[in-house]
Amino acid sequence: RDFCLSRGLGDVYKRQTKSGKQGKATLEYRTYTGISIAPRYNDALRPLSSSQLISLSQEIGIGGVINVGATPEEIEELSAYSEDWLDVLTRDGKTNSHEISMSGGNENTKFFISGSYFSQEGIALRSKLDRYSLRTKIDYSKNRFTLGANVFLSYTSAEDSENEGGFSRSNPFYASIRTPAYDRAIDPITGDYATPLDASQSSVQNNLERVNTNDEDRKTKTVMVSLSGRYDFNFLEGLSFNTSLNIRNNRRDNRTYVDPNSVDGRRRQGGQGSLNLSTSERTSFTITNSLQYKFNINEDHKFNAGLYQEFVSDNSDGFDITTYGLNQLTVIDGATEGTETNGFIPDFGGFNSVSNLSSYFATLDYSYLNKYNVTAGIRRDGSSSFGSNFAFGNFYSCLLYTSPSPRDR
């Protein structure tokens, strides 16, 4: 009946959460740590060395040393050193996890509570994640009543290297195979970030500088609540009422900072870096009520009939702002007031969407000798995504099938 009962994510969460056990309360602690080894070039992806790349450029008459008109002395110096950009832009990753939980209960009430902390430093420079979570599950049953409650809270803070999944040099992994080996990460004389040989190209920047001066941070908060109840009527055996409420709220705050003194910052609108702040939030809830009746006739005929009602609501909204002309402050107040002449006019954006779905449906299952089966259903769905004249529709289904009965096995 899952296809009829609920479309909500909370229903999935409810089925996957650990439950308490009857007996004396127990306390458990789990931890683990791990290391991810930084990647190294393999034969298929190993970039050309400086001398190999320079020889190729001279052979075809195009490339960095040809484009900038390097002298023989400069070419000889460049050929003598090859930067390992994969080693520069990656590191060994670290993972740590801690979880403490308590469970127990008696004949009527069972509980499970756990709190956890997960920390991970990725193999890409600046990639990092910290997550805190709390889970609570309580089950109560007495006579013909059954009640359940699940609560999940989570807070995640993450940092990423810029454009980590894209095909551009702002992705450190892509940059490690596209950056010429003769481009150094650090100038051996000044100790500053080295200037790429062909820095006149708009797409060329010292990738180590880009990683260390451009910040991209995410904060995510998640709340999930699932409540359920069941009552088995005593005046008619097999008749039961079920109800559930699933709520989920997710808020995400992003911050992207481009240093005004970096090469990338000088390419931004107004030439003095940028700061983008964005917030998005999504709240959804699902309410489901059902009345089910199961009965048999002579053990050969089995029936399962149900009436269901479900309401699903989803509300999303968001806002973002990008400011330009930054000083060393990494907050909105650090931006220069925008005018038509200085090019620092900020960008604004936002969105809002609301979606509701209401459903009423009935199902009937019949089985003869546990071998010949019929499943039939009728439902009426209404969606706010359509106009008022087309919001509701009726749907029908019927399935006939056979399955091996115990007598045939």
Side-chain angles (χ1 to χ4, degrees):
R1 296 268 67 81
D2 284 351
F3 77 98
C4 287
L5 286 179
S6 179
R7 304 174 187 83
L9 292 176
D11 192 53
V12 176
Y13 162 71
K14 178 176 65 177
R15 289 195 293 264
Q16 293 178 342
T17 303
K18 294 181 179 179
S19 301
K21 298 180 180 180
Q22 181 177 343
K24 186 177 180 181
T26 58
L27 184 67
E28 293 186 9
Y29 171 72
R30 297 184 180 91
T31 184
Y32 69 84
T33 185
I35 298 176
S36 301
I37 305 300
R40 294 294 178 259
Y41 293 119
N42 57 34
D43 293 336
L45 293 177
R46 186 180 303 278
L48 297 177
S49 66
S50 296
S51 59
Q52 291 172 326
L53 184 57
I54 290 173
S55 296
L56 178 62
S57 297
Q58 292 172 329
E59 180 179 342
I60 63 178
I62 192 172
V65 294
I66 303 299
N67 295 344
V68 301
T71 65
E73 291 78 13
E74 292 172 331
I75 291 176
E76 182 178 359
E77 181 180 352
L78 291 171
S79 300
Y81 178 82
S82 293
E83 187 76 84
D84 186 338
W85 277 100
L86 188 60
D87 181 63
V88 170
L89 298 174
T90 61
R91 64 188 177 187
D92 290 342
K94 301 176 182 178
T95 301
N96 290 286
S97 176
H98 305 273
E99 180 182 7
I100 186 169
S101 63
M102 177 180 288
S103 62
N106 53 36
E107 182 180 356
N108 301 120
T109 305
K110 302 176 182 63
F111 71 91
F112 176 85
I113 302 174
S114 72
S116 64
Y117 168 69
F118 177 85
S119 175
Q120 185 175 64
E121 290 185 355
I123 58 177
L125 294 183
R126 291 202 74 257
S127 59
K128 183 181 179 181
L129 182 143
D130 291 286
R131 181 173 62 239
Y132 306 84
S133 60
L134 175 67
R135 293 178 173 86
T136 301
K137 178 175 173 60
I138 300 175
D139 296 304
Y140 173 81
S141 62
K142 186 174 183 180
N143 299 328
R144 294 177 176 268
F145 277 106
T146 300
L147 300 175
N150 297 278
V151 178
F152 172 76
L153 306 176
S154 174
Y155 173 78
T156 301
S157 174
E159 299 177 6
D160 291 322
S161 53
E162 186 183 7
N163 200 22
E164 196 168 303
F167 288 94
S168 71
R169 293 193 185 186
S170 58
N171 174 356
F173 300 104
Y174 186 73
S176 68
I177 60 176
R178 286 297 308 274
T179 305
Y182 49 68
D183 280 343
R184 291 177 178 266
I186 301 296
D187 189 310
I189 298 177
T190 65
D192 297 327
Y193 296 116
T195 302
L197 179 65
D198 199 4
S200 60
Q201 298 186 37
S202 60
S203 62
V204 175
Q205 180 185 356
N206 185 311
N207 293 291
L208 181 60
E209 178 188 10
R210 181 192 291 269
V211 169
N212 288 336
T213 57
N214 296 352
D215 298 336
E216 187 170 342
D217 306 322
R218 302 191 315 272
K219 312 292 185 185
T220 304
K221 301 174 184 178
T222 301
V223 177
M224 297 174 64
V225 178
S226 177
L227 305 175
S228 63
R230 175 187 175 96
Y231 179 73
D232 295 305
F233 295 95
N234 54 11
F235 66 85
L236 183 60
E237 191 67 29
L239 181 64
S240 64
F241 173 76
N242 297 271
T243 185
S244 66
L245 170 64
N246 296 303
I247 302 174
R248 176 168 183 155
N249 175 269
N250 183 273
R251 177 188 172 96
R252 181 168 176 169
D253 298 297
N254 291 355
R255 172 186 172 278
T256 302
Y257 170 76
V258 179
D259 193 301
N261 297 318
S262 67
V263 174
D264 200 27
R266 292 191 289 272
R267 294 175 181 148
R268 296 300 167 116
Q269 180 175 308
Q272 294 184 29
S274 66
L275 175 65
N276 172 267
L277 299 177
S278 65
T279 296
S280 62
E281 186 168 9
R282 179 180 180 182
T283 302
S284 61
F285 68 87
T286 302
I287 301 174
T288 304
N289 296 297
S290 67
L291 190 65
Q292 291 182 286
Y293 181 41
K294 297 180 181 180
F295 64 96
N296 301 334
I297 300 178
N298 299 327
E299 297 299 325
D300 291 335
H301 306 273
K302 295 184 178 180
F303 295 86
N304 183 2
L307 297 174
Y308 303 89
Q309 175 272 327
E310 184 176 71
F311 180 77
V312 181
S313 179
D314 195 305
N315 190 336
S316 300
D317 58 68
F319 176 81
D320 72 272
I321 177 174
T322 303
T323 58
Y324 305 93
L326 305 180
N327 55 34
Q328 291 305 305
L329 295 177
T330 59
V331 294
I332 290 293
D333 290 344
T336 302
E337 181 178 354
T339 66
E340 294 183 359
T341 57
N342 65 18
F344 297 147
I345 298 176
D347 299 323
F348 296 89
F351 67 92
N352 176 263
S353 67
V354 178
S355 175
N356 296 317
L357 179 66
S358 181
S359 301
Y360 304 89
F361 45 98
T363 63
L364 176 63
D365 295 337
Y366 167 69
S367 179
Y368 176 62
L369 300 177
N370 287 326
K371 183 175 183 180
Y372 304 101
N373 307 280
V374 179
T375 296
I378 179 174
R379 64 185 301 146
R380 181 171 176 80
D381 290 335
S383 173
S384 63
S385 300
F386 304 102
S388 57
N389 294 332
F390 304 96
F392 282 88
N394 299 321
F395 305 90
Y396 311 90
S397 65
C398 184
L399 176 64
L400 306 176
Y401 63 98
T402 62
S403 58
S405 66
R407 307 177 186 181
D408 300 328
R409 296 171 185 169

